[in-house]
């Protein structure tokens, strides 16, 4: 089946200006203030491509130029076990993980695959530059697998303490290079390292939340849910590190509402963080668009203690126009904080109730749903989408796995010239 990319333009969320994508545009070059940009697709109707498998069945709402091998889409099903325990009538679980009995086949067990398959498919076919991605763990694993399977050169920057997350069911291609910051550093340090690498034009920043392909890839979770439910949910639950997935969910709910066949977008966004790393939760509860102050030392200390390590971004797209603050306000949403004890409880309960294991971040989302029900914020008869962003590790690794060790360990405090020279030699 020949692939024909959908046409789209870019919208500045802050001022509404519509402009052309120059190929890897991450922001509006004419904007005076920081703002996310959003893809505006020529095809305004939600029409999955029935003849295409995996993530690319949603290609009409992805800003991509091609398709890649081995993609998989999120899977949505109506919960029985968890719903019964919580007393809910219409709980739908959107699973991005590895649980073949439900049709979920993401071998990295993470919804970060959705963004990796979208971002890498946005690259021009004749691209000669090397992609640079920074990650706390799950994003690294997803991009590494996608790039390895499709022979796309990439540099992945991670904190060394999170290197254990780089497990794979088979050895990676040599096109994937992993650079770690020293022990005791965090995700922000990995971001700083990647920024220095990208000072050389041979390398290109992936862009994080600013990349429309990343957000629209993650937004396929809502497309999966609406296909199964037939309407936009009343409420959406997800644990967040950056909040990008929750922003993406809202953006696709807006597109679905504009389609007109799936109801109005009254989907309340409920995001959660793992205490004590509650930067966005604290900011939201203060009703502050600006993030509350946090020192690097405090950030690292709190990141060390939480079980959901991927929920520890101290530079999230919260304040920017179109970011999480705006999404929470527009959706009449809220934020929750979840303790490590609650996460452990729901990791254990969930596998008994739904039949597969989940990651701590996913358990954080489950715990927040229980909090919302107990507080009466969400009614038990409402239609709720629970975004299980990672699970199925036991299934995926039962035949064994390999760990990708860092190719280099570099401090982000080193001069950019030294860092670039060291990384350049790997290629």
């Amino acid at each position: 089946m020949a692939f024909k990319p959908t046409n789209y333009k870019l919208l500045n969320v802050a001022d509404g200006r519509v402009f052309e994508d120059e190929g890897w545009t991450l922001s509006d070059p004419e904007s005076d203030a920081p703002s996310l940009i959003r893809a505006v697709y020529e095809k305004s109707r939600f029409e999955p491509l029935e003849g295409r498998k995996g993530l690319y069945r949603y290609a009409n709402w992805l800003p991509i130029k091609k398709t890649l091998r081995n993609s998989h889409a999120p899977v949505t099903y109506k919960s029985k076990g968890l719903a019964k325990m919580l007393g809910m009538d219409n709980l739908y679980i959107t699973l991005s993980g590895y649980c073949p009995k439900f049709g979920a086949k993401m071998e990295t067990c993470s919804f970060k695959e959705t963004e990796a398959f979208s971002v890498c498919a946005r690259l021009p076919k004749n691209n000669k530059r090397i992609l640079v991605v920074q990650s706390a763990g799950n994003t690294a694993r997803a991009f590494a697998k996608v790039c390895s399977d499709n022979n796309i050169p990439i540099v992945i920057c991670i904190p060394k303490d999170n290197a254990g997350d780089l497990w794979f069911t088979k050895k990676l291609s040599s096109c994937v290079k992993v650079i770690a910051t020293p022990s005791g550093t965090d995700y922000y340090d990995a971001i700083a390292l990647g920024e220095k690498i990208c000072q050389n034009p041979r390398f290109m920043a992936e862009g994080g939340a600013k990349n429309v392909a990343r957000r629209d890839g993650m937004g396929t979770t809502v497309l999966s849910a609406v296909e199964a439910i037939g309407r936009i949910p009343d409420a959406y639950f997800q644990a967040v590190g950056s909040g990008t997935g929750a922003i993406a969910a809202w953006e696709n709910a807006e597109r679905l509402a504009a389609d007109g066949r799936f109801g109005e977008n009254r989907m309340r966004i409920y995001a959660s963080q793992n205490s004590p790393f509650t930067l966005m939760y604290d900011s939201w509860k203060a009703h502050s668009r600006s993030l509350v102050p946090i020192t690097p030392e405090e950030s690292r200390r709190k990141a060390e203690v939480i079980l959901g390590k991927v929920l520890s971004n101290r530079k999230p797209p919260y304040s920017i126009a179109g970011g999480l603050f705006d999404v929470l306000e527009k959706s009449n949403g809220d934020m929750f904080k979840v303790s490590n004890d609650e996460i452990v409880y729901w990791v254990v309960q969930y596998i008994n109730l739904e039949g597969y294991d989940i990651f701590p971040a996913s358990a954080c989302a489950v715990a927040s749903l229980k909090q919302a029900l107990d507080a009466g914020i969400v009614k038990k008869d409402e239609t709720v989408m629970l975004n299980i962003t990672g699970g199925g590790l036991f299934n995926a690794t039962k035949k064994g796995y390999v760990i990708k060790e860092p190719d280099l360990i570099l401090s982000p405090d080193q001069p950019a010239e030294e860092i670039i020279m060291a990384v350049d030699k790997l290629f």
Side-chain angles (χ1 to χ4, degrees), residues 8-13 15-21 28-30 37-41:
Y8 67 94
K9 293 182 184 294
L10 296 174
L11 167 76
N12 182 318
V13 176
D15 63 17
R17 189 177 92 88
V18 177
F19 58 101
E20 297 290 339
D21 183 2
D28 180 356
E30 295 186 14
I37 55 175
R38 187 179 297 173
V40 179
Y41 295 102

Side-chain angles (χ1 to χ4, degrees), residues 131-379:
L131 195 62
V132 176
V133 170
Q134 300 103 313
S135 170
N138 287 347
T139 300
R141 193 167 64 253
F143 272 88
K145 182 187 183 302
V146 171
C147 289
S148 178
D149 286 355
N150 292 277
N151 197 33
I152 299 170
I154 188 170
V155 172
I156 298 172
C157 302
I158 62 164
K160 186 175 185 297
D161 295 340
N162 295 27
D165 286 333
L166 293 183
W167 56 263
F168 301 92
T169 55
K170 63 181 180 181
K171 186 177 179 181
L172 296 176
S173 163
S174 60
C175 67
V176 177
K177 304 299 182 186
V178 175
I179 317 298
T181 55
S183 293
T185 56
D186 65 6
Y187 177 40
Y188 185 83
D189 295 300
I191 291 174
L193 182 65
E195 287 174 348
K196 285 192 174 180
I197 293 171
C198 289
Q199 289 180 24
N200 186 299
R202 187 183 184 194
F203 301 94
M204 63 186 299
E206 179 269 331
K210 294 180 179 180
N211 193 323
V212 290
R214 175 179 277 218
R215 300 204 313 277
D216 288 356
M218 299 168 91
T220 59
T221 54
V222 170
L223 303 185
S224 168
V226 168
E227 270 198 283
I229 303 167
R231 50 160 289 202
I232 300 169
D234 298 313
Y236 169 97
F237 282 81
Q238 186 199 324
V240 296
S242 69
T244 308
I247 297 167
W250 173 256
E251 290 176 336
N252 262 351
E254 289 279 77
R255 292 186 181 107
L256 289 160
D259 178 313
R261 294 173 294 155
F262 305 98
E264 296 178 23
N265 181 16
R266 295 179 180 175
M267 185 173 78
R268 308 187 304 277
I269 301 293
Y270 294 115
S272 53
Q273 292 202 285
N274 186 181
S275 179
F277 197 102
T278 53
L279 176 60
M280 288 188 287
Y281 169 88
D282 295 336
S283 305
W284 172 252
K285 289 302 182 182
H287 203 67
S288 169
R289 175 180 285 276
S290 300
L291 290 167
V292 297
I294 186 170
T295 66
E297 294 73 26
E298 183 184 3
S299 172
R300 293 181 185 116
R301 186 173 66 252
K302 290 180 174 180
E304 284 176 4
V305 249
I306 62 173
L307 291 177
K309 300 295 185 190
V310 297
L311 306 178
S312 59
N313 185 344
R314 60 180 155 109
K315 197 179 180 181
Y318 172 84
S319 308
I320 191 171
L324 189 63
F325 179 86
D326 284 342
V327 165
L328 292 172
E329 277 222 317
K330 290 178 181 177
S331 72
N332 196 29
D334 205 352
M335 289 201 72
F336 298 86
K337 63 177 178 180
V338 173
S339 69
N340 281 345
D341 287 346
E342 288 176 281
I343 285 176
V344 171
Y345 175 83
W346 284 109
V347 164
V348 174
Q349 289 293 331
Y350 193 94
I351 194 170
N352 293 325
L353 295 166
E354 293 295 332
Y356 56 91
D357 61 286
I358 56 174
F359 291 165
S362 299
C364 183
V366 180
S368 69
L369 172 58
K370 179 65 165 63
Q371 289 182 23
L373 289 166
D374 289 346
I377 296 170
V378 169
K379 307 302 180 187

Side-chain angles (χ1 to χ4, degrees), residues 88-91 231 234-235 268 270 377-384:
M88 299 182 70
D89 299 327
N90 296 295
L91 174 61
R231 50 160 289 202
D234 298 313
R268 308 187 304 277
Y270 294 115
I377 296 170
V378 169
K379 307 302 180 187
K380 293 188 176 182
D381 62 348
E382 287 192 288
T383 298
V384 174

